[in-house]
Amino acid sequence: MPKGPRTETVYKMPEDTTPSASGEACGCSGVPEQQLRLTENLDREFGDVLLTVPDHSWKGYGLTRALDRRVILGVFEKLKEDSKFLFSMLVDVTCVDWLDQREERFELVYQLLSLTFNHRLCLKVAVPESDPEVDSVRPLWPAANFMEREVWDMFGIKFRGHGDLRRILMYDEFTGHPLRKDYPLRRKQPRVPLRSPELRNTASDMQRPVLCALPVRQNFKTSE
Amino acid sequence: MGDVRNDWQPRDVGDVSLSKTMVLNLGPSHPATHGTVRLVVEVDGERVERCDVDVGYLHRGFEKECEHSTYNQVIPYADRLNYVSPLINNVGWVLAVEHLFGIEVPPRTQYIRVMLSELSRITDHLTCLGAASMELGAFTVMLYLMQAREELYDLIEAVTGARITVSYMRVGGLREDLPEGFKEELLRRFEIIKKHLADADRLLTKNRIFQDRLSGVGVIAPDEAIAYGLTGPVLRASGVNYDVRKVFPYSGYENFEFDIPLGAKGDNLDRFIVRFNEIFQSMRIAEHAMRKLPGGPICVDDPRVIMPAKDEVYDSIEGMISQFKIVFAGIKPPPGSIYFPVEGGNGELGFYVVSDGTGQPYRVHVRPPCFLAMGIFGPLVEGYMIADIVPCFGLMNMIGGECDR
């Protein structure tokens, strides 16, 4: 076996070893200790800000809280920096479109992970259709860059302070936000005319030029 | 430990004719950006000033399509996510839905799932290393590793019937049991794979060109890797010990003994060697799984998810109705949501499933590890040369199906 820079068993299982998967599968028993500690700390620090919602059904790792969209940045910053939480990784940002089933149409879901304590947290933020705008967490975790762009692309939720909010999976001339429930599965989009090299490739909904602009007539340079 | 580079802004290219730099377009159809990704690089001579990654060329609407399919109909779609390790996607999806139900599969199923996940992980790493070596010029290594991969594809085909589009897992179990003589065949083929890996190692590890091309290039500091949400071999190459199989074990992984290779510097060479060593660890797990494979049923005995036996379907009304409802209406988990991560070939592959109690999921979201790797790719290659883009990209292992869904 080739010798790499370091190949050793450096991982130690935490003392509160989670029970084997052949134990309880429902979330009611066998909750790992770090999740219980996290729950206590969350209730103590954020008792009024974070509301309890039904957990994800996964042993306790699916610990879920809801918060108001106006306090996102403050809460996330504390969750990231505070020595009891240390959520160093933003694992996922996604959105669910509840359409008429809820008063506030969209629900942003953030998954956080702490590599220090090995605890996870899921935060849900309700976003109304009338004002689909929240603060971006990109200043805290650069991982949010692509993930928030995808939520904008698919659902149309704007992130203040993101700095580069443009479509990521769909092409720029696409109209609409495809993962919304009122966007039909088989809708056809109008044909995009061939992009002329003279035109800047402007994201039509953001009205700003981006680096993807195809350059205008470059002079061939031999030396500078 | 560098500062976290989080300040990438698009810039008006301005009057390019007067600037020193040239804007080049790599992709989306490019032999070295395998997978359809477009890199718009602004270069000053050979040096990359800025790079913008344009993903989404393989976006097929997986998440939208899932809202219109039943839970078992999603499984062929899940195959096509990370198409070099389809069984891991299968396992991830199926486990997420099983946790929604609150059901637990029998131990034999768990061991088979672990074994097949590891086979898929080996195919993923072999593809990545082979393609990366080929792009550096070591075409022979690619052929050796592809030959090794063929051995695995024969095994996977024997079990599931297909090489890539496997659709083998079902919610609550597997499609069918392993064939006869599988264990001996697997152990025999692993020896062949180890020979191919030894050949590849002999060609590469002490190779001057290989070392110079990869060493010190594409360095990602550990805190930067964490801040960018990287997981998997890329994160472990930067020295961070995080593997979902160890920290949040699923499907019986806590019963298996394996090491986690870690890198020291976080450069391309570390990513290569971490993946290389992970192949050996995966073989260790798969061999253990086969040697200790328990007997018993392969599906959980739960009429909510598993179709009744065929003789019951034909002979009893209840069996026929049950079969009909499961196939047409779909299985119905209780309303709720779950985010369930598994360790994919590239890192933490998470499935976020929202169920509203009907036979079709209300919302499905895949957290793709290589999507986030593309997030860091732009800032990563700044300052390096155009020729360094190729190994950096290759060793990130961007799989288009997973990144774009």
Side-chain angles (χ1 to χ4, degrees), chain A residues 110-189:
Chain A
Y110 294 83
Q111 308 283 348
L112 297 174
L113 167 67
S114 166
L115 291 178
T116 334
F117 298 116
N118 290 337
H119 53 220
R120 285 187 181 267
L121 178 63
C122 170
L123 285 164
K124 296 193 174 178
V125 177
V127 179
E129 190 176 355
S130 51
D131 179 27
E133 201 172 320
V134 296
D135 286 319
S136 165
V137 296
R138 189 180 169 189
L140 296 171
W141 295 282
N145 180 5
F146 269 31
M147 298 201 275
E148 286 177 352
R149 273 176 67 185
E150 189 195 332
V151 173
W152 157 249
D153 189 1
M154 295 285 128
F155 289 93
I157 296 182
K158 284 206 170 81
F159 291 89
R160 276 188 294 264
H162 182 272
D164 182 24
L165 202 64
R166 55 193 158 109
R167 287 195 184 270
I168 185 167
L169 293 178
M170 305 311 301
Y171 52 96
D172 287 326
E173 293 86 344
F174 191 92
T175 49
H177 296 284
L179 275 177
R180 291 190 173 193
K181 290 285 180 181
D182 48 4
Y183 187 98
L185 179 65
R186 302 271 180 244
R187 168 175 292 171
K188 288 198 189 301
Q189 291 268 324

Side-chain angles (χ1 to χ4, degrees), chain B residues 65 79 202 217 296:
Chain B
E65 217 38 81
D79 283 344
R202 260 198 298 274
V217 174

Side-chain angles (χ1 to χ4, degrees), chain A residues 1-14 17-26 34-35 54-59 61-62 88-99 101 107 109 111 113-115 118-120 122 124 137-147 149-150 154-155 162-164 166-170 178-186 195 200-201 208-221 224, chain B residues 4-23 25 38 40 42 50-57 59 61 63-65 67-68 99-104 110 201 205 225-231 235 239-242 244 246-252 254-255 258-264 270 273 276-277 280-281 337-341 348 352 354-356 361-363 365-368 371-372 374-375 403-405:
Chain A
M1 198 159 115
K3 287 251 184 319
R6 215 161 101 206
T7 312
E8 57 206 12
T9 320
V10 293
Y11 181 78
K12 285 193 185 31
M13 292 286 274
T17 306
T18 59
S20 94
S22 58
E24 297 74 45
C26 314
Q34 66 261 36
Q35 294 293 124
D55 276 0
H56 290 176
S57 43
W58 177 36
K59 247 200 251 178
Y61 288 123
S88 41
M89 191 185 288
L90 175 66
V91 172
D92 195 21
V93 180
T94 186
C95 182
V96 185
D97 180 3
W98 289 106
L99 208 51
Q101 294 180 42
E107 182 187 50
V109 181
Q111 308 283 348
L113 167 67
S114 166
L115 291 178
N118 290 337
H119 53 220
R120 285 187 181 267
C122 170
K124 296 193 174 178
V137 296
R138 189 180 169 189
L140 296 171
W141 295 282
N145 180 5
F146 269 31
M147 298 201 275
R149 273 176 67 185
E150 189 195 332
M154 295 285 128
F155 289 93
H162 182 272
D164 182 24
R166 55 193 158 109
R167 287 195 184 270
I168 185 167
L169 293 178
M170 305 311 301
L179 275 177
R180 291 190 173 193
K181 290 285 180 181
D182 48 4
Y183 187 98
L185 179 65
R186 302 271 180 244
R195 287 180 191 153
R200 301 272 165 140
N201 182 4
R208 49 188 294 200
V210 291
L211 181 58
C212 311
L214 296 175
V216 193
R217 281 174 229 99
Q218 297 179 95
N219 290 326
F220 286 102
K221 305 177 125 167
E224 177 67 272
Chain B
V4 176
R5 287 169 288 207
N6 189 20
D7 55 356
W8 195 91
Q9 299 286 339
R11 206 173 64 194
D12 190 352
V13 179
D15 191 355
V16 184
S17 57
L18 291 180
S19 77
K20 254 174 58 157
T21 60
M22 190 190 310
V23 177
N25 193 44
R38 177 167 161 244
V40 184
E42 191 181 337
R50 294 170 101 72
C51 172
D52 182 30
V53 184
D54 192 4
V55 296
Y57 283 89
H59 178 72
E63 298 177 0
K64 187 89 181 171
E65 217 38 81
E67 293 170 12
H68 299 260
H99 275 85
L100 269 178
F101 272 103
I103 59 182
E104 188 66 35
Q110 288 185 352
D201 177 41
T205 313
I226 298 174
Y228 271 91
L230 301 179
T231 47
L235 182 67
V240 180
N241 187 355
Y242 173 64
V244 183
K246 288 281 199 193
V247 183
F248 305 103
Y250 55 92
S251 191
E254 57 272 7
N255 304 322
F258 57 102
D259 298 326
I260 306 284
L262 288 176
D270 278 350
I273 294 180
F276 201 92
N277 288 339
F280 289 97
Q281 298 304 319
S337 61
I338 184 170
Y339 172 79
F340 193 82
E348 177 173 323
Y352 179 68
V354 178
S355 153
D356 57 352
Y362 188 77
R363 168 92 172 101
H365 174 72
V366 180
R367 186 258 185 202
F371 188 61
L372 295 168
M374 286 298 102
C403 181
D404 303 336
R405 287 150 276 149

